Amino acid sequence: MIGIYLSGTGNTKYCITKLVKLIDASADVVPLEDESVIDKIKRNGTIILGYPTQFSNAPYMVRDFIKTNASLWKGRKMICVATMGAFSGDGAGCAARLLKKYGAEILSGVHIKMPDSVCDSKLLKRQMEENKKIIEKADRKIYEAAKRIKQGDYPKEGLTIFSHIAGLFGQRLWFYKKTAGYTDQLKINEDCTGCGMCAEICPMKNIIMEKGKPHPGDQCTMCYRCICNCPKQAITLLGSKVIEQYKFENYINLTKM
């Protein structure tokens, strides 16, 4: 077994790491951008894939990774885990359907609500105590999911036709253009000091440093990693101003899992 994930602000990394280790303490957990991820997938028959939902869809980087490596999935057993700030519908099903197309066996789907990480929008912002309660509830759900999976009683969240309809009509159809591909809408303002952190941590290598300044390309997967970590709050995507930089480690130290 191996856990693989896309995580911008730490939510999905936390959930996948905890779930995988509860099922198999010896199993490896690696991000999708890790250079070794392909080789590690090839050496494992069961894969737990995690990602945040975006407008009731899997991030384009995740879908692109699945398509680009189509030959990897035949015969592999997949558990799809979708994290979300509010509504998902068929978040886990979005990747599951694509994986099934390439020959994977879909064992399970798990949806986990986590604190909102969209830094440049006021929509789902909550106080720290409320976010802590959300994480506590997520912890309980992860424990329960791990227990069921170990017993062979696989959760099927996001995998049913009813979930598909809910995700499709709840958000995905209305925001289709936002998730149809990578975006070129990342913005870096004059507050930037050219520290280069954004270029270093971007999972898509979409930000290039030129003459001491970062320049975003057209391959942004909307993970919000650069926006949450910019020391000058100089980067935005969906909004025009950073409201609150969200980092999971502000709530729980991952080393204490």
Side-chain angles (χ1 to χ4, degrees), residues 48-62:
I48 298 183
L49 168 64
Y51 50 86
T53 53
Q54 298 171 346
F55 302 102
S56 291
N57 208 345
Y60 194 75
M61 179 181 173
V62 173

Side-chain angles (χ1 to χ4, degrees), residues 63-224:
R63 287 176 280 148
D64 194 23
F65 180 86
I66 294 171
K67 293 174 185 176
T68 301
N69 300 287
S71 62
L72 277 180
W73 313 112
K74 187 174 182 179
R76 283 189 166 75
K77 298 178 180 179
M78 302 295 304
I79 297 171
C80 295
V81 180
T83 60
M84 65 210 69
F87 172 79
S88 172
D90 60 340
C94 291
R97 288 189 295 275
L98 193 55
L99 288 161
K100 188 175 181 180
K101 174 183 175 181
Y102 296 125
E105 177 185 353
I106 308 303
L107 296 180
S108 182
V110 180
H111 287 175
I112 305 173
K113 184 177 179 179
M114 292 292 281
D116 173 60
S117 59
V118 178
C119 308
D120 52 359
S121 171
K122 294 181 180 180
L123 185 61
L124 295 175
K125 293 295 172 287
R126 300 178 178 90
Q127 296 298 315
M128 181 170 283
E129 284 305 313
E130 189 175 357
N131 279 337
K132 285 182 178 179
K133 290 179 181 179
I134 291 173
I135 294 170
E136 289 170 1
K137 187 174 181 180
D139 277 339
R140 292 193 293 270
K141 184 161 190 179
I142 293 169
Y143 277 112
E144 180 61 27
K147 180 180 178 181
R148 289 181 61 184
I149 289 168
K150 290 176 74 173
Q151 294 173 344
D153 175 23
Y154 296 106
K156 300 294 184 181
E157 292 180 292
L159 304 183
T160 68
I161 185 63
F162 300 105
S163 297
H164 190 185
I165 292 170
L168 190 63
F169 289 98
Q171 283 195 50
R172 201 156 57 249
L173 279 180
W174 317 114
F175 298 102
Y176 174 75
K177 289 184 178 180
K178 290 186 180 295
T179 60
Y182 296 112
T183 181
D184 60 358
Q185 296 303 302
L186 196 71
K187 301 173 283 291
I188 302 176
N189 66 35
E190 64 277 4
D191 293 332
C192 170
T193 59
C195 72
M197 180 185 291
C198 54
E200 182 179 344
I201 65 177
C202 175
M204 285 297 302
K205 304 301 180 187
N206 180 56
I207 303 174
I208 305 299
M209 295 298 294
E210 293 180 353
K211 297 180 180 180
K213 290 292 183 181
H215 296 273
D218 59 0
Q219 300 288 298
C220 173
T221 192
M222 300 195 297
C223 75
Y224 270 78

